[in-house]
Amino acid sequence: MSSPPTTLTDREREVTTVVADGMSNMEIADQLTLSPLTVKTHVNHAMTKLGARDRAQLVVLAYQTGLTRASWPRL
């Protein structure tokens, strides 16, 4: 397993981690107290920096790089 990407800002890492949890931009905005447009911008920047072609690939890269790890389902 490789180390987490160092090209992402702290906020881009945080947003990417929450994207990997399956949250929508609106849910992320509510959780992090950001506007949905700001969340979208962070997601797009992370995708560009990591070379992800879509949100699904961003999630895969988050797991492959160790940026996030699988956890037990929240019940």
Side-chain angles (χ1 to χ4, degrees):
M1 175 173 19
S2 59
S3 61
T6 57
T7 59
L8 299 180
T9 65
D10 290 341
R11 185 61 95 176
E12 289 165 352
R13 285 175 190 251
E14 182 178 28
V15 169
T16 300
T17 299
V18 184
V19 167
D21 285 341
M23 295 182 118
S24 69
N25 286 355
M26 185 63 76
E27 292 168 330
I28 295 168
D30 288 342
Q31 180 174 322
L32 300 181
T33 318
L34 299 170
S35 77
L37 183 57
T38 299
V39 172
K40 183 177 179 179
T41 299
H42 288 309
V43 170
N44 287 334
H45 286 170
M47 287 174 54
T48 299
K49 289 178 178 183
L50 298 176
R53 66 182 166 271
D54 55 30
R55 195 175 180 104
Q57 190 176 28
L58 181 63
V59 171
V60 170
L61 290 169
Y63 281 98
Q64 287 178 340
T65 61
L67 187 59
T68 194
R69 295 177 15 181
S71 60
W72 292 101
R74 296 179 194 125
L75 301 176

